[in-house]
PDB file of all heavy atoms in Angstrom:
ATOM      1  N   ARG A 990      -9.466  18.547   9.514  1.00 97.00           N
ATOM      2  CA  ARG A 990     -10.806  18.072  10.106  1.00 97.00           C
ATOM      3  C   ARG A 990     -10.968  16.551   9.946  1.00 97.00           C
ATOM      4  O   ARG A 990     -11.375  15.908  10.854  1.00 97.00           O
ATOM      5  CB  ARG A 990     -11.918  18.743   9.258  1.00 97.00           C
ATOM      6  CG  ARG A 990     -13.287  18.483   9.780  1.00 97.00           C
ATOM      7  CD  ARG A 990     -14.330  19.381   9.132  1.00 97.00           C
ATOM      8  NE  ARG A 990     -14.446  19.195   7.679  1.00 97.00           N
ATOM      9  CZ  ARG A 990     -14.122  19.979   6.765  1.00 97.00           C
ATOM     10  NH1 ARG A 990     -13.500  21.145   6.990  1.00 97.00           N
ATOM     11  NH2 ARG A 990     -14.278  19.728   5.443  1.00 97.00           N
ATOM     12  N   VAL A 991     -10.403  16.035   8.821  1.00 98.00           N
ATOM     13  CA  VAL A 991     -10.589  14.577   8.547  1.00 98.00           C
ATOM     14  C   VAL A 991      -9.703  13.785   9.473  1.00 98.00           C
ATOM     15  O   VAL A 991     -10.097  12.719  10.031  1.00 98.00           O
ATOM     16  CB  VAL A 991     -10.319  14.210   7.054  1.00 98.00           C
ATOM     17  CG1 VAL A 991     -10.331  12.759   6.834  1.00 98.00           C
ATOM     18  CG2 VAL A 991     -11.451  14.947   6.204  1.00 98.00           C
ATOM     19  N   PHE A 992      -8.470  14.165   9.711  1.00 98.00           N
ATOM     20  CA  PHE A 992      -7.557  13.351  10.481  1.00 98.00           C
ATOM     21  C   PHE A 992      -8.075  13.066  11.829  1.00 98.00           C
ATOM     22  O   PHE A 992      -8.104  11.918  12.363  1.00 98.00           O
ATOM     23  CB  PHE A 992      -6.141  14.045  10.551  1.00 98.00           C
ATOM     24  CG  PHE A 992      -5.082  13.326   9.749  1.00 98.00           C
ATOM     25  CD1 PHE A 992      -5.282  13.058   8.433  1.00 98.00           C
ATOM     26  CD2 PHE A 992      -3.898  13.079  10.356  1.00 98.00           C
ATOM     27  CE1 PHE A 992      -4.342  12.382   7.764  1.00 98.00           C
ATOM     28  CE2 PHE A 992      -2.976  12.343   9.637  1.00 98.00           C
ATOM     29  CZ  PHE A 992      -3.098  12.017   8.336  1.00 98.00           C
ATOM     30  N   ARG A 994     -11.198  13.279  12.954  1.00 97.00           N
ATOM     31  CA  ARG A 994     -12.427  12.477  12.920  1.00 97.00           C
ATOM     32  C   ARG A 994     -12.179  10.998  12.631  1.00 97.00           C
ATOM     33  O   ARG A 994     -12.906  10.104  13.060  1.00 97.00           O
ATOM     34  CB  ARG A 994     -13.367  13.052  11.845  1.00 97.00           C
ATOM     35  CG  ARG A 994     -14.079  14.380  12.351  1.00 97.00           C
ATOM     36  CD  ARG A 994     -15.119  14.816  11.314  1.00 97.00           C
ATOM     37  NE  ARG A 994     -15.764  16.042  11.768  1.00 97.00           N
ATOM     38  CZ  ARG A 994     -16.497  16.788  11.035  1.00 97.00           C
ATOM     39  NH1 ARG A 994     -16.737  16.530   9.696  1.00 97.00           N
ATOM     40  NH2 ARG A 994     -17.151  17.858  11.536  1.00 97.00           N
ATOM     41  N   LEU A 995     -11.059  10.767  11.864  1.00 97.00           N
ATOM     42  CA  LEU A 995     -10.688   9.305  11.690  1.00 97.00           C
ATOM     43  C   LEU A 995      -9.951   8.759  12.869  1.00 97.00           C
ATOM     44  O   LEU A 995      -9.489   7.556  12.775  1.00 97.00           O
ATOM     45  CB  LEU A 995      -9.864   9.226  10.404  1.00 97.00           C
ATOM     46  CG  LEU A 995     -10.614   9.402   9.054  1.00 97.00           C
ATOM     47  CD1 LEU A 995      -9.629   9.478   7.873  1.00 97.00           C
ATOM     48  CD2 LEU A 995     -11.537   8.222   8.847  1.00 97.00           C
ATOM     49  N   ILE A1029     -12.139  13.499   0.937  1.00 98.00           N
ATOM     50  CA  ILE A1029     -13.114  13.046   1.936  1.00 98.00           C
ATOM     51  C   ILE A1029     -13.696  14.333   2.539  1.00 98.00           C
ATOM     52  O   ILE A1029     -14.867  14.427   2.817  1.00 98.00           O
ATOM     53  CB  ILE A1029     -12.405  12.164   2.954  1.00 98.00           C
ATOM     54  CG1 ILE A1029     -12.158  10.775   2.337  1.00 98.00           C
ATOM     55  CG2 ILE A1029     -13.386  11.975   4.164  1.00 98.00           C
ATOM     56  CD1 ILE A1029     -11.224   9.925   3.175  1.00 98.00           C
ATOM     57  N   GLY A1030     -12.849  15.226   2.937  1.00 97.00           N
ATOM     58  CA  GLY A1030     -13.284  16.510   3.599  1.00 97.00           C
ATOM     59  C   GLY A1030     -14.143  17.338   2.707  1.00 97.00           C
ATOM     60  O   GLY A1030     -15.210  17.882   3.140  1.00 97.00           O
ATOM     61  N   ASN A1032     -16.020  16.192   0.036  1.00 97.00           N
ATOM     62  CA  ASN A1032     -17.207  15.502  -0.458  1.00 97.00           C
ATOM     63  C   ASN A1032     -18.142  15.072   0.697  1.00 97.00           C
ATOM     64  O   ASN A1032     -19.385  15.074   0.502  1.00 97.00           O
ATOM     65  CB  ASN A1032     -16.778  14.272  -1.246  1.00 97.00           C
ATOM     66  CG  ASN A1032     -16.099  14.634  -2.507  1.00 97.00           C
ATOM     67  OD1 ASN A1032     -16.401  15.719  -3.120  1.00 97.00           O
ATOM     68  ND2 ASN A1032     -15.180  13.878  -3.032  1.00 97.00           N
ATOM     69  N   TRP A1033     -17.609  14.635   1.820  1.00 98.00           N
ATOM     70  CA  TRP A1033     -18.487  14.039   2.853  1.00 98.00           C
ATOM     71  C   TRP A1033     -18.224  14.518   4.209  1.00 98.00           C
ATOM     72  O   TRP A1033     -19.184  14.689   5.004  1.00 98.00           O
ATOM     73  CB  TRP A1033     -18.289  12.458   2.895  1.00 98.00           C
ATOM     74  CG  TRP A1033     -18.454  11.806   1.553  1.00 98.00           C
ATOM     75  CD1 TRP A1033     -19.696  11.715   0.859  1.00 98.00           C
ATOM     76  CD2 TRP A1033     -17.461  11.204   0.720  1.00 98.00           C
ATOM     77  NE1 TRP A1033     -19.455  11.003  -0.342  1.00 98.00           N
ATOM     78  CE2 TRP A1033     -18.107  10.760  -0.473  1.00 98.00           C
ATOM     79  CE3 TRP A1033     -16.099  11.072   0.820  1.00 98.00           C
ATOM     80  CZ2 TRP A1033     -17.437  10.134  -1.507  1.00 98.00           C
ATOM     81  CZ3 TRP A1033     -15.399  10.486  -0.225  1.00 98.00           C
ATOM     82  CH2 TRP A1033     -16.049  10.004  -1.317  1.00 98.00           C
ATOM     83  N   CYS A1034     -17.034  14.738   4.521  1.00 98.00           N
ATOM     84  CA  CYS A1034     -16.674  15.078   5.935  1.00 98.00           C
ATOM     85  C   CYS A1034     -16.824  16.606   6.117  1.00 98.00           C
ATOM     86  O   CYS A1034     -15.831  17.307   6.372  1.00 98.00           O
ATOM     87  CB  CYS A1034     -15.266  14.550   6.272  1.00 98.00           C
ATOM     88  SG  CYS A1034     -15.055  14.293   8.066  1.00 98.00           S
ATOM     89  N   LYS A1035     -18.059  17.088   5.978  1.00 97.00           N
ATOM     90  CA  LYS A1035     -18.252  18.585   6.033  1.00 97.00           C
ATOM     91  C   LYS A1035     -18.122  19.036   7.457  1.00 97.00           C
ATOM     92  O   LYS A1035     -18.196  18.298   8.422  1.00 97.00           O
ATOM     93  CB  LYS A1035     -19.754  18.815   5.633  1.00 97.00           C
ATOM     94  CG  LYS A1035     -20.125  18.166   4.262  1.00 97.00           C
ATOM     95  CD  LYS A1035     -19.586  18.975   3.025  1.00 97.00           C
ATOM     96  CE  LYS A1035     -19.742  18.308   1.737  1.00 97.00           C
ATOM     97  NZ  LYS A1035     -21.102  18.125   1.326  1.00 97.00           N
ATOM     98  N   VAL A1038     -21.870  18.876   9.666  1.00 96.00           N
ATOM     99  CA  VAL A1038     -22.370  17.502   9.845  1.00 96.00           C
ATOM    100  C   VAL A1038     -21.755  16.602   8.783  1.00 96.00           C
ATOM    101  O   VAL A1038     -22.036  16.753   7.556  1.00 96.00           O
ATOM    102  CB  VAL A1038     -24.009  17.609   9.632  1.00 96.00           C
ATOM    103  CG1 VAL A1038     -24.541  16.080   9.838  1.00 96.00           C
ATOM    104  CG2 VAL A1038     -24.659  18.560  10.573  1.00 96.00           C
ATOM    105  N   PRO A1039     -20.982  15.650   9.195  1.00 97.00           N
ATOM    106  CA  PRO A1039     -20.419  14.790   8.219  1.00 97.00           C
ATOM    107  C   PRO A1039     -21.407  13.841   7.527  1.00 97.00           C
ATOM    108  O   PRO A1039     -22.369  13.436   8.242  1.00 97.00           O
ATOM    109  CB  PRO A1039     -19.359  13.957   9.026  1.00 97.00           C
ATOM    110  CG  PRO A1039     -19.785  14.063  10.395  1.00 97.00           C
ATOM    111  CD  PRO A1039     -20.531  15.386  10.585  1.00 97.00           C
ATOM    112  N   GLU A1040     -21.293  13.603   6.293  1.00 98.00           N
ATOM    113  CA  GLU A1040     -22.277  12.713   5.523  1.00 98.00           C
ATOM    114  C   GLU A1040     -21.620  11.303   5.370  1.00 98.00           C
ATOM    115  O   GLU A1040     -21.184  10.909   4.373  1.00 98.00           O
ATOM    116  CB  GLU A1040     -22.492  13.389   4.240  1.00 98.00           C
ATOM    117  CG  GLU A1040     -23.185  14.778   4.363  1.00 98.00           C
ATOM    118  CD  GLU A1040     -23.184  15.552   3.036  1.00 98.00           C
ATOM    119  OE1 GLU A1040     -22.940  14.936   1.982  1.00 98.00           O
ATOM    120  OE2 GLU A1040     -23.604  16.714   3.121  1.00 98.00           O
ATOM    121  N   CYS A1041     -21.565  10.631   6.594  1.00 98.00           N
ATOM    122  CA  CYS A1041     -20.886   9.356   6.699  1.00 98.00           C
ATOM    123  C   CYS A1041     -21.425   8.262   5.743  1.00 98.00           C
ATOM    124  O   CYS A1041     -20.668   7.456   5.328  1.00 98.00           O
ATOM    125  CB  CYS A1041     -20.800   8.941   8.096  1.00 98.00           C
ATOM    126  SG  CYS A1041     -20.046  10.096   9.249  1.00 98.00           S
ATOM    127  N   ALA A1042     -22.723   8.358   5.497  1.00 97.00           N
ATOM    128  CA  ALA A1042     -23.337   7.218   4.707  1.00 97.00           C
ATOM    129  C   ALA A1042     -22.704   7.097   3.394  1.00 97.00           C
ATOM    130  O   ALA A1042     -22.585   6.020   2.812  1.00 97.00           O
ATOM    131  CB  ALA A1042     -24.789   7.477   4.594  1.00 97.00           C
ATOM    132  N   GLY A1043     -22.175   8.219   2.832  1.00 98.00           N
ATOM    133  CA  GLY A1043     -21.565   8.127   1.477  1.00 98.00           C
ATOM    134  C   GLY A1043     -20.115   7.973   1.498  1.00 98.00           C
ATOM    135  O   GLY A1043     -19.451   7.785   0.481  1.00 98.00           O
ATOM    136  N   CYS A1044     -19.539   8.031   2.617  1.00 98.00           N
ATOM    137  CA  CYS A1044     -17.975   8.119   2.760  1.00 98.00           C
ATOM    138  C   CYS A1044     -17.446   6.710   2.742  1.00 98.00           C
ATOM    139  O   CYS A1044     -17.842   5.890   3.489  1.00 98.00           O
ATOM    140  CB  CYS A1044     -17.640   8.852   4.060  1.00 98.00           C
ATOM    141  SG  CYS A1044     -15.874   8.882   4.329  1.00 98.00           S
ATOM    142  N   TYR A1045     -16.368   6.494   1.992  1.00 97.00           N
ATOM    143  CA  TYR A1045     -15.855   5.120   1.917  1.00 97.00           C
ATOM    144  C   TYR A1045     -14.979   4.724   3.146  1.00 97.00           C
ATOM    145  O   TYR A1045     -14.458   3.643   3.212  1.00 97.00           O
ATOM    146  CB  TYR A1045     -15.041   4.936   0.629  1.00 97.00           C
ATOM    147  CG  TYR A1045     -13.770   5.862   0.503  1.00 97.00           C
ATOM    148  CD1 TYR A1045     -12.509   5.458   1.035  1.00 97.00           C
ATOM    149  CD2 TYR A1045     -13.791   7.038  -0.164  1.00 97.00           C
ATOM    150  CE1 TYR A1045     -11.406   6.168   0.925  1.00 97.00           C
ATOM    151  CE2 TYR A1045     -12.636   7.821  -0.242  1.00 97.00           C
ATOM    152  CZ  TYR A1045     -11.489   7.372   0.233  1.00 97.00           C
ATOM    153  OH  TYR A1045     -10.338   8.126   0.126  1.00 97.00           O
ATOM    154  N   MET A1046     -14.851   5.672   4.086  1.00 98.00           N
ATOM    155  CA  MET A1046     -14.191   5.298   5.302  1.00 98.00           C
ATOM    156  C   MET A1046     -15.213   4.913   6.418  1.00 98.00           C
ATOM    157  O   MET A1046     -14.763   4.565   7.590  1.00 98.00           O
ATOM    158  CB  MET A1046     -13.347   6.517   5.878  1.00 98.00           C
ATOM    159  CG  MET A1046     -12.284   7.002   4.925  1.00 98.00           C
ATOM    160  SD  MET A1046     -11.039   5.737   4.498  1.00 98.00           S
ATOM    161  CE  MET A1046     -10.325   5.431   6.021  1.00 98.00           C
ATOM    162  N   SER A1047     -16.485   4.935   6.127  1.00 97.00           N
ATOM    163  CA  SER A1047     -17.438   4.851   7.249  1.00 97.00           C
ATOM    164  C   SER A1047     -17.350   3.552   8.032  1.00 97.00           C
ATOM    165  O   SER A1047     -17.633   3.555   9.217  1.00 97.00           O
ATOM    166  CB  SER A1047     -18.892   5.094   6.723  1.00 97.00           C
ATOM    167  OG  SER A1047     -19.124   4.132   5.765  1.00 97.00           O
ATOM    168  N   ASP A1048     -16.985   2.438   7.376  1.00 96.00           N
ATOM    169  CA  ASP A1048     -16.908   1.200   8.233  1.00 96.00           C
ATOM    170  C   ASP A1048     -15.741   1.080   9.131  1.00 96.00           C
ATOM    171  O   ASP A1048     -15.705   0.269   9.972  1.00 96.00           O
ATOM    172  CB  ASP A1048     -16.934  -0.013   7.205  1.00 96.00           C
ATOM    173  CG  ASP A1048     -15.710   0.054   6.249  1.00 96.00           C
ATOM    174  OD1 ASP A1048     -15.325   1.103   5.783  1.00 96.00           O
ATOM    175  OD2 ASP A1048     -15.175  -1.053   5.996  1.00 96.00           O
ATOM    176  N   LEU A1049     -14.783   2.039   8.937  1.00 96.00           N
ATOM    177  CA  LEU A1049     -13.613   2.027   9.839  1.00 96.00           C
ATOM    178  C   LEU A1049     -13.605   3.201  10.787  1.00 96.00           C
ATOM    179  O   LEU A1049     -12.849   3.197  11.767  1.00 96.00           O
ATOM    180  CB  LEU A1049     -12.314   2.043   8.999  1.00 96.00           C
ATOM    181  CG  LEU A1049     -12.009   0.826   8.031  1.00 96.00           C
ATOM    182  CD1 LEU A1049     -10.770   1.163   7.212  1.00 96.00           C
ATOM    183  CD2 LEU A1049     -11.768  -0.376   8.882  1.00 96.00           C
ATOM    184  N   CYS A1050     -14.379   4.226  10.491  1.00 97.00           N
ATOM    185  CA  CYS A1050     -14.196   5.543  11.122  1.00 97.00           C
ATOM    186  C   CYS A1050     -14.808   5.541  12.527  1.00 97.00           C
ATOM    187  O   CYS A1050     -15.995   5.295  12.669  1.00 97.00           O
ATOM    188  CB  CYS A1050     -14.859   6.615  10.185  1.00 97.00           C
ATOM    189  SG  CYS A1050     -14.862   8.183  10.959  1.00 97.00           S
ATOM    190  N   PRO A1051     -14.037   5.950  13.499  1.00 96.00           N
ATOM    191  CA  PRO A1051     -14.586   5.956  14.877  1.00 96.00           C
ATOM    192  C   PRO A1051     -15.663   7.031  15.104  1.00 96.00           C
ATOM    193  O   PRO A1051     -16.421   6.966  16.023  1.00 96.00           O
ATOM    194  CB  PRO A1051     -13.336   6.279  15.689  1.00 96.00           C
ATOM    195  CG  PRO A1051     -12.342   6.867  14.798  1.00 96.00           C
ATOM    196  CD  PRO A1051     -12.638   6.361  13.440  1.00 96.00           C
ATOM    197  N   THR A1052     -15.611   8.152  14.285  1.00 97.00           N
ATOM    198  CA  THR A1052     -16.630   9.154  14.414  1.00 97.00           C
ATOM    199  C   THR A1052     -17.962   8.602  13.897  1.00 97.00           C
ATOM    200  O   THR A1052     -19.030   8.853  14.455  1.00 97.00           O
ATOM    201  CB  THR A1052     -16.207  10.387  13.617  1.00 97.00           C
ATOM    202  OG1 THR A1052     -14.994  10.968  14.185  1.00 97.00           O
ATOM    203  CG2 THR A1052     -17.273  11.504  13.743  1.00 97.00           C
ATOM    204  N   ALA A1053     -17.885   7.855  12.746  1.00 96.00           N
ATOM    205  CA  ALA A1053     -19.107   7.281  12.168  1.00 96.00           C
ATOM    206  C   ALA A1053     -19.792   6.343  13.125  1.00 96.00           C
ATOM    207  O   ALA A1053     -21.021   6.245  13.230  1.00 96.00           O
ATOM    208  CB  ALA A1053     -18.810   6.731  10.817  1.00 96.00           C
ATOM    209  N   ASP A1054     -19.030   5.539  13.884  1.00 93.00           N
ATOM    210  CA  ASP A1054     -19.661   4.527  14.671  1.00 93.00           C
ATOM    211  C   ASP A1054     -19.883   5.063  16.144  1.00 93.00           C
ATOM    212  O   ASP A1054     -20.267   4.324  17.014  1.00 93.00           O
ATOM    213  CB  ASP A1054     -18.908   3.222  14.766  1.00 93.00           C
ATOM    214  CG  ASP A1054     -17.556   3.245  15.463  1.00 93.00           C
ATOM    215  OD1 ASP A1054     -17.302   4.229  16.155  1.00 93.00           O
ATOM    216  OD2 ASP A1054     -16.749   2.347  15.291  1.00 93.00           O
TER     217      ASP A1054
HETATM  218  S1  LIG B1129     -16.985   8.456   7.871  1.00 71.57           S
HETATM  219 FE1  LIG B1129     -17.930  10.382   8.414  1.00 71.57          FE
HETATM  220  S2  LIG B1129     -16.665  11.290  10.104  1.00 71.57           S
HETATM  221 FE2  LIG B1129     -15.538   9.582   9.137  1.00 71.57          FE
HETATM  222  S3  LIG B1129     -14.203  10.495   7.659  1.00 71.57           S
HETATM  223 FE3  LIG B1129     -16.051   9.892   6.582  1.00 71.57          FE
HETATM  224  S4  LIG B1129     -17.469  11.623   6.594  1.00 71.57           S
HETATM  225 FE4  LIG B1129     -15.834  12.024   8.128  1.00 71.57          FE
END
Side-chain angles (χ1 to χ4, degrees):
R990 186 168 64 251
V991 170
F992 250 53
R994 284 187 178 166
L995 285 172
I1029 290 168
N1032 293 330
W1033 306 290
C1034 207
K1035 307 283 173 64
V1038 183
E1040 297 168 10
C1041 302
C1044 176
Y1045 65 86
M1046 298 303 295
S1047 61
D1048 59 322
L1049 296 173
C1050 177
T1052 299
D1054 71 15

